[in-house]
Amino acid sequence: MITRDSVCEAVAERLESPPDQIPGDTNLVQLGLTSLDLMALVNDWRRVGLPVVFRELVREPTMDGWWRYLERLQDEHAEVSP
């Protein structure tokens, strides 16, 4: 299971920034996150079992938007898992 903090830490690592310096409503691309960074994050989250879709993250590239999406995926995944 991923948490909002773990998502923020993963993004902060890619941005080489402290997690507490990433506002929830700020566009992560404008902060410097690249498409390669985004693909790496998608792959990391897929490895833990979440069916993350790249374009869904691009749609709203903010911590708040990503967390809403990832939380929903986790909830849906928990409902179908035994």
Side-chain angles (χ1 to χ4, degrees):
M1 173 176 255
I2 61 173
T3 64
R4 184 180 175 99
D5 286 343
S6 70
V7 172
C8 191
E9 288 170 11
V11 171
E13 183 177 320
R14 294 273 168 193
L15 292 172
E16 297 179 355
S17 172
D20 63 349
Q21 297 296 312
I22 303 173
D25 61 349
T26 298
N27 185 309
L28 298 171
V29 174
Q30 291 176 349
L31 289 180
L33 198 71
T34 67
S35 58
L36 293 175
D37 293 326
L38 184 51
M39 281 306 302
L41 292 167
V42 167
N43 287 331
D44 289 346
W45 295 326
R46 285 179 179 168
R47 274 194 285 280
V48 296
L50 291 180
V52 179
V53 177
F54 180 87
R55 72 178 172 271
E56 291 297 322
L57 295 178
V58 171
R59 187 173 298 186
E60 188 179 356
T62 65
M63 286 301 306
D64 292 343
W66 286 8
W67 179 243
R68 281 190 297 271
Y69 173 64
L70 294 169
E71 188 174 41
R72 187 177 73 240
L73 283 180
Q74 286 188 115
D75 290 345
E76 291 169 0
H77 185 67
E79 290 174 5
V80 297
S81 296

